[in-house]
Amino acid sequence: MNHFLDLWPLASGELRSILDNAKSRKAARKGLPKGTVDKDAPLSGRTLAMIFEKNSTRTRVSFDMAIRQLGGTSLVLNSGDTQLGRGETVEDTAKVLSRYVDAIMIRANRHADVEALAQFASVPVINGLTEKSHPCQILADLQTLEEAGLTLKGSRIAWVGDGNNVAASFIHAAPKFGFSLSVASPAGYDPDPKDVERARAEQGRIDLFRDPKQAVAGADVIVADTFVSMGDKDADKRLGDLAPFKVSGDLMRAANGGAKFLHCLPAHRGEEVDADVIDGPQSLVFDEAENRLHAQKAILEWCLRG
Ligand code: CP
Ligand code: NVA
């Protein structure tokens, strides 16, 4: 069963073929209305159920359009409207949904629930963000960087801010794609040491910093994310602790000339990034958002066609 819960279990070659498929599908349908189905309609007759325990704009709309462009259909389940929201078990939900649909995408509060869903489902399960990781996002990010001309192998990506779920998926991706990752975060906001250890064991280069300027020295890309993620309760403390990690024009200039800026969105201008950076010429954020669609088409195809 091809679940897509995290990048770890996928071989580099498999991830490469997903990225290449995303790019070639994107190129093949250039200029078509967004609702037009791809010529080969590879997922014709397939239905994707999407479960949301947290808010979403990009993940929800890009997955919905992705399955439609592949010839399939979708249904969106806000978990609060389902029996899951009233305490029905993940196990029973997995078994029941598997009788109706061909794949399940879930955005969940607890990563362990996504693992349980995959364990008990007889159809592929895709992680659409948990508190621990956001693997779909990272494939879109890497596609965006390659399309902007960056060779991932040997490049240096700097993550600045909270060592959160999105940072974790960058750490997972580093050994798979051969880029080095510098993470700048304040004490108490470090990435999960288990992720760092595993990436290093797989020959990934991960460097941890407290000083954002040091982390971005020599970087080809700077990545930021919100200082307050969905489910975080200590918003005021976080905004205070993370304030020195804002990506400003000054910080961009401390990286390599022409360094690219990424942010998974939603963004908070003036908090984690200044407007002149995210809305400036080095920013790729809207290509990045678009590529959620293309990357997820390739993920869906990998899950459902093997
Ligand atoms: N980047 C991202 O996952 O956005 P949404 O929360 O809008 O889905
Ligand atoms: N780290 C953010 C990402 C949102 C797409 C969050 O979890 O809320």
Side-chain angles (χ1 to χ4, degrees), residues 171-302:
I171 292 170
H172 304 171
K176 303 285 185 188
F177 289 93
F179 60 85
S180 73
L181 187 74
S182 317
V183 179
S185 54
Y189 297 85
D190 289 328
D192 186 334
K194 288 201 281 297
D195 284 327
V196 175
E197 202 178 302
R198 181 160 178 189
R200 286 176 177 161
E202 295 192 9
Q203 273 67 59
R205 178 162 168 202
I206 313 289
D207 299 307
L208 305 179
F209 297 87
R210 292 280 177 245
D211 176 358
K213 277 239 159 89
Q214 276 179 13
V216 304
D220 305 297
V221 184
I222 297 184
V223 195
D225 187 13
T226 180
F227 290 160
V228 185
S229 283
M230 293 180 278
D232 285 339
K233 298 211 164 50
D234 45 353
D236 290 344
K237 179 169 168 29
R238 292 180 146 268
L239 291 177
D241 292 347
L242 286 153
F245 292 76
K246 178 172 73 173
V247 178
S248 61
D250 258 2
L251 195 66
M252 289 300 295
R253 283 185 285 278
N256 285 346
K260 305 298 182 197
F261 175 76
L262 292 182
H263 188 310
C264 66
L265 306 178
H268 310 79
R269 288 169 177 76
E271 286 181 14
E272 72 272 11
V273 59
D274 276 332
D276 61 334
V277 172
I278 192 168
D279 300 318
Q282 287 163 273
S283 172
L284 300 175
V285 298
F286 296 108
D287 292 331
E288 182 184 3
E290 176 185 337
N291 282 334
R292 293 295 302 281
L293 166 64
H294 306 295
Q296 283 154 197
K297 286 170 72 178
I299 292 167
L300 283 166
E301 218 183 335
W302 177 81

Side-chain angles (χ1 to χ4, degrees), residues 52 54-62 107 128-129 134 136-137 141 166 225 230 263-266 288-289 292 296:
F52 286 95
K54 303 184 187 194
N55 295 47
S56 170
T57 297
R58 279 143 290 268
T59 304
R60 176 176 169 152
V61 179
S62 59
R107 169 164 286 194
L129 179 145
H134 197 3
C136 296
Q137 179 70 51
D141 292 7
V166 182
D225 187 13
M230 293 180 278
H263 188 310
C264 66
L265 306 178
E288 182 184 3
R292 293 295 302 281
Q296 283 154 197

